[in-house]
Structures are given as C-alpha cells and as structure tokens.
Amino acid sequence: MTTLTWTAACIALIAAVPRPAAHQPPGIPKPRPVRADVRVGAFYFPGWSHAERWYCVKAHPDVQHPLLGYYREGDPDAADWHIKWAVEHGVGFFAFDYYSHNGSQMLEGALDRGFLRSRFLPGFRFCLNWCNHAPSETMTADQLERFAELVIPKYLTHPSYLRIDGRPVLMILSGYSFVKTLGVNGARRAFEHLDTRCRAAGLPGVYLVFCEGEILRAESVRDSFAAGARAFCLYNYPYAGTGQTGPGRHGEATYAHLIEQGERLWKHWRGITEGRFWPTVMPGWDRRPWLKEDDLRRTGSTPALFEGALRDARAHVNASRIVMVEAWNEWGEGSVLEPSVEQGFGYLDAVRRVFCPSAGSHRDLTPTAAGLPAPVFDLEMPRIDAWAFDHGVEDWTATGVSGLAAAWGALEGVSTDDDPQLTSPIAYLPCGRYGACEIRMRAEAVDARHPTSTGQLFWSTSTQGLSQEASVTFPVTLDGAWHTHRLDLAARSHWRGTTDRFRLDPVALSGVRFAVDEVRFLRRPARPAR
C-alpha cells in the first residue's frame, strides 16, 4: 500500500468516527437548499478559533458583528449553521484560506475539526485557497511537493471537495510566484507532477486557479496558462482606483466606487484571460477592528448596492459559471457575507435573489429563533486596571530593554537605547470610568552626568492607535529611590473610548536601571446621588 493510499484510508476512518457526545448537534434544523443558476463560492477566513481573536471586533462599536455570536470556529455546530445559511441562499461552496509552508499547517482547525465533521457537509462543497504568503523565491518544486503530500490525501480526495470535470479545484493565492521562480517550463513540470500525484490518488488530475492581485501583465497570464493554470480570479481589490496600495495610512473611498472598480477589473481580466476568469464581488472593506485608522475604508456599503454588484458580476461569468464573494467572514476587514447583527441576512438574501430567482420566499432562521443555544465563546473581555508584578512579568513585553524580569514584585530591566518601551497585555478599560494612573518606580543612571530623564505613558483604544496625542509625560529623577508618579488622564482630550493596550517608556536614556513596582489606573470619583 502506497503512502498516499494508507494516509487516505486513515483519513476515511477518522472521518467515519461519529462526533463525541459533547458535540452532537442539538437539533439544528436541516437545510433547505435552493438551486442557483450560477455557482457561487465564498472565501472563508479561518481566524476565529480562540476567544481572544474576537476582542477587537467586539470592542469596536462601529463595525459589523456576527449574528451567530462570537462563535467557536472549529465547532461542528458552528459549521452546521454556516452551511445551512449558505445553501439556503444559493452559496454552493467555501474556498478555505489555507496556510501551509514547508509542509506545515496553520489555522486549519475550522476545516478539520468543524466543517469536515458537519452533518450537513454532504450537501455542500469546499476547496482550498492556498495562501502562499512566503517570499516568491521559496515557491519551488520541492515546496509544491510538500504541499501535495499534505493536501491530496487529506482534502482533495474528500467526497465533498469541489471538482470541475472531476478534477479537484485548487486555488493558489499567488500561483504566478511559481512561474517567476521556476520559469514557465520549470513551473509546468512542477504542476504536471502535482497532476500526476492526483491521478495516483484516483483523481483525473487537478484544476488550478491562480488567485492573483489587481495587476498582472497579459504576458504573465499567458505564461501561467502555459504552466498549467486553468482559470484566474481575484481575492479582493479594496484599493483599486484610489492611489493607495496598502495599509499604513488612513483613507476613505465609497463602496459605490469599489463596485465601479470591480467591474472595470472584471472586464480587464476577462480580456487578458480570454474569458477564463471568475469575477469576485466584495461586500465591503473596513479594517478598523484590526488596523484602526491605519488603512483605507470603504464607506456606504448596503445590501442593495451589493445586490447590484452581484447582478453586474453575473454578466461577466464564463463557461464555468462561477462567481466568488470575498468573503464569508472577514470580520476583521469588514468584508462579510455571513449574517450580522447590523444587517441581518441582508447580504445573503441578495445572493438568493440574484442567483436563485425561482426560489420563492424564505424565512431566515437563527439559533435564537429555533430556540437553540449558539456555539459561541463565553467572551469576557480582559479588563485589567492594575499590575503589581507579583507573579512574574504578567505578559508585559519590552523593546530597547535588556534583562527584563520580575524580581520581588517589580518589573526590572536596563534601557539599551534612548527609547525603551514596556508594552502591556490587552486591557479593555472604559476611559470614562478612570481618571488617573499611578506608576511607582525607581530609576538609576549608570552615567551620573544625567540626574533626570522623562517617562511617558501611551495608550491605544479600540478605534485609535498609539500616538503622541494619546500620551502623558512625567519627570523621572535618576536617584535610585522609589517615586510614585500620578498622571492626570482625565485632562487629556484623547483619553476617551475604550483602551486596548498601554505602553510605558520608563525613561528616555540608554543605560538606565529601572524597576516598576506597580502600574495602577484609578477610578473617577462616583457622582453624588441627586
């Protein structure tokens, strides 16, 4: 028995094992699938397997929040709801963002522990979107071989894997990287070997889709087809037509403008690919949960505008008749098809209206409406307002500091440059409830020529990053004695909203020994009762 056959047999045995009793579905109603006249797929971002990942979404008041709740990704019950909602609105498959390098895996839990154990999976399809974010020069034949060894028996042979003409669909986020690194002939040989491995596993080959960025020359597209690509698509295009090429600064553009740019890109790509292109529609773009104000934001997205974009995309489908949506659940980027508290099923209902015209009326069902518990985390945001370092460094980290350690209830170190920084763990504090901060510390300069220095406390919030405006400075005497510094935060105009992290610069000199005994935030005095 070959290694691939043996591994496939093991996977089949594992898949056949029933869910443990703790994961038996609590009576989630079976889906009522509808027939779409165009195959609709949605990219799925597997980034919500830990409660902490949801903090930035829950803490931001002005973004969308999941209607299912802050779900336990990798829980089969969460997968059941996602598949039910998808097939009842005309979404036929998820393209899972899949992270692998040198044969390793990352963020595979949503697929492995959730979707592959969903009782509704037989009526649904999935495929991989290999997010090969490593440097392009590492996209070699050996890299592809390790990837194939991992995914063919585990996923591509699964009965619910998406196929075209019997071939499993494999998206590669930057497939052209292999052509750049290996040349056309080298890439073709590498992909032919992948195809051969699929045939050895009982498949009729592989269907490669290169999922590229906004710009690729026609010559590069021709080389990609010569190397083995069968189709192209775009993952997203949030910056199209804005002059901004990525995060790092704030910008705003309308969602209506994004729709116009999307159609422009579809026409361009349809031309240079001779029609072998799958258009992608974005429901929006708002990365404030992750990047706050340091990125472009698309404003004014609505289900009605999204529906118009879907109708435009319908006019650009090719013989495969596939339209992609980015994404099902990019909550950190505000590109979300999944039902939300703010929009309900509005975006999904738009998909149903456009691609399932004969489906008729439908009642959108939620766990609450079904009288069932939602598969969600008991999400408690960390509200830490004091650190005494009695139990180690308490998750504080440092840059520009050597020997950081906790000793006798104090955080100690030596500054190695003029900008030493101590960064707190996540701490969500409502600024309106706290008016001051007390820092008890001591500092002693190695060079006695500097008797004083300056300390500074910074804070970031759920909506604003670190800045000089969101900080307080205080004088530090370098005499080795303990001093308590009381900082008036209420007087600072940027002390508002909800904090999420602090940074303490204990001094502004290199070669200073310091010890921080305590950092404590003080509540504002209670207002007298009237």
Side-chain angles (χ1 to χ4, degrees), residues 232-317:
F232 277 83
C233 72
L234 299 179
Y235 187 73
N236 59 30
Y237 39 90
Y239 307 107
T242 66
Q244 190 165 338
T245 58
R249 64 182 176 88
H250 175 69
E252 289 192 358
T254 66
Y255 179 67
H257 177 259
L258 179 67
I259 293 174
E260 295 172 0
Q261 295 301 309
E263 186 168 16
R264 175 184 64 82
L265 287 167
W266 304 335
K267 291 178 180 177
H268 168 75
W269 277 91
R270 186 175 61 179
I272 64 174
T273 62
E274 298 179 352
R276 290 177 285 179
F277 176 70
W278 302 355
T280 299
V281 185
M282 297 177 61
W285 186 256
D286 186 351
R287 298 176 89 180
R288 287 181 294 171
W290 283 350
L291 299 181
K292 301 173 184 178
E293 296 297 323
D294 288 336
D295 198 11
L296 177 75
R297 177 187 172 211
R298 292 287 185 171
T299 61
S301 174
T302 65
L305 288 174
F306 176 65
E307 182 172 339
L310 293 174
R311 296 191 185 281
D312 292 340
R314 184 190 183 92
H316 293 277
V317 297

Side-chain angles (χ1 to χ4, degrees), residues 214-483:
E214 296 177 21
I215 303 298
L216 207 62
R217 299 194 310 272
E219 179 184 358
S220 301
V221 170
R222 289 195 298 270
D223 289 346
S224 298
F225 282 133
R230 292 178 176 269
F232 277 83
C233 72
L234 299 179
Y235 187 73
N236 59 30
Y237 39 90
Y239 307 107
T242 66
Q244 190 165 338
T245 58
R249 64 182 176 88
H250 175 69
E252 289 192 358
T254 66
Y255 179 67
H257 177 259
L258 179 67
I259 293 174
E260 295 172 0
Q261 295 301 309
E263 186 168 16
R264 175 184 64 82
L265 287 167
W266 304 335
K267 291 178 180 177
H268 168 75
W269 277 91
R270 186 175 61 179
I272 64 174
T273 62
E274 298 179 352
R276 290 177 285 179
F277 176 70
W278 302 355
T280 299
V281 185
M282 297 177 61
W285 186 256
D286 186 351
R287 298 176 89 180
R288 287 181 294 171
W290 283 350
L291 299 181
K292 301 173 184 178
E293 296 297 323
D294 288 336
D295 198 11
L296 177 75
R297 177 187 172 211
R298 292 287 185 171
T299 61
S301 174
T302 65
L305 288 174
F306 176 65
E307 182 172 339
L310 293 174
R311 296 191 185 281
D312 292 340
R314 184 190 183 92
H316 293 277
V317 297
N318 66 0
S320 298
R321 295 189 63 78
I322 294 177
V323 169
M324 298 300 300
V325 177
E326 194 277 330
W328 178 262
N329 61 342
E330 282 277 18
W331 295 102
E333 296 185 343
S335 191
V336 179
L337 182 60
E338 181 183 350
S340 69
V341 173
E342 290 74 17
Q343 298 290 351
F345 284 78
Y347 288 91
L348 266 180
D349 286 338
V351 174
R352 182 180 167 107
R353 284 192 296 270
V354 173
F355 298 111
C356 311
S358 62
S361 60
H362 175 251
R363 177 177 175 238
D364 294 320
L365 189 66
T366 64
T368 300
L372 299 171
V376 297
F377 291 106
D378 182 13
L379 196 60
E380 288 293 329
M381 307 281 279
R383 181 173 291 181
I384 308 172
D385 59 11
W387 291 271
F389 308 108
D390 296 336
H391 305 285
V393 299
E394 299 182 5
D395 294 327
W396 283 65
T397 58
T399 59
V401 173
S402 66
L404 185 72
W408 296 99
L411 190 64
E412 297 183 343
V414 178
S415 61
T416 57
D417 59 33
D418 293 341
D419 190 25
Q421 302 171 8
L422 304 175
T423 302
S424 78
I426 292 176
Y428 291 100
L429 302 182
C431 295
R433 297 185 186 179
Y434 295 85
C437 176
E438 284 189 350
I439 302 171
R440 186 173 187 265
M441 59 177 282
R442 66 181 180 184
E444 183 178 7
V446 175
D447 186 347
R449 293 178 300 174
H450 299 286
T452 63
S453 185
T454 301
Q456 192 167 10
L457 177 72
F458 295 84
W459 59 89
S460 60
T461 70
S462 60
T463 60
Q464 296 289 332
L466 293 173
S467 67
Q468 288 292 331
E469 292 79 9
S471 72
V472 176
T473 59
F474 56 96
V476 177
T477 303
L478 305 180
D479 58 2
W482 290 103
H483 299 274

Side-chain angles (χ1 to χ4, degrees), residues 163-209:
R163 293 180 173 85
I164 294 179
D165 298 329
R167 296 178 174 88
V169 174
L170 175 61
M171 294 182 173
I172 305 180
L173 192 61
S174 184
Y176 183 64
S177 293
F178 286 95
V179 181
K180 287 196 296 184
T181 302
L182 301 174
V184 176
N185 292 332
R188 182 174 61 248
R189 287 192 294 270
F191 289 130
E192 284 176 348
H193 186 61
L194 172 64
D195 198 79
T196 299
R197 292 198 64 150
C198 286
R199 293 178 186 276
L203 300 165
V206 65
Y207 195 99
L208 291 176
V209 181

Side-chain angles (χ1 to χ4, degrees), residues 103-184:
S104 66
Q105 298 180 100
M106 186 173 75
L107 303 182
E108 73 277 12
L111 182 53
D112 288 5
R113 297 191 298 275
F115 279 82
L116 294 186
R117 295 170 65 199
S118 170
R119 61 183 176 134
F120 301 150
L121 184 58
F124 196 59
R125 294 294 177 263
F126 75 96
C127 69
L128 301 183
N129 175 39
W130 182 14
C131 299
N132 56 333
H133 290 306
S136 61
E137 60 269 19
T138 67
M139 295 300 108
T140 63
D142 181 63
Q143 188 71 239
L144 190 62
E145 174 73 11
R146 295 182 185 185
F147 178 78
E149 183 177 352
L150 174 64
V151 304
I152 291 175
K154 190 176 183 182
Y155 303 117
L156 273 61
T157 54
H158 193 283
S160 290
Y161 198 88
L162 177 68
R163 293 180 173 85
I164 294 179
D165 298 329
R167 296 178 174 88
V169 174
L170 175 61
M171 294 182 173
I172 305 180
L173 192 61
S174 184
Y176 183 64
S177 293
F178 286 95
V179 181
K180 287 196 296 184
T181 302
L182 301 174
V184 176

Side-chain angles (χ1 to χ4, degrees), residues 431-433 523-530:
C431 295
R433 297 185 186 179
R523 286 181 174 267
R524 297 174 188 256
R527 293 182 179 179
R530 293 184 178 179

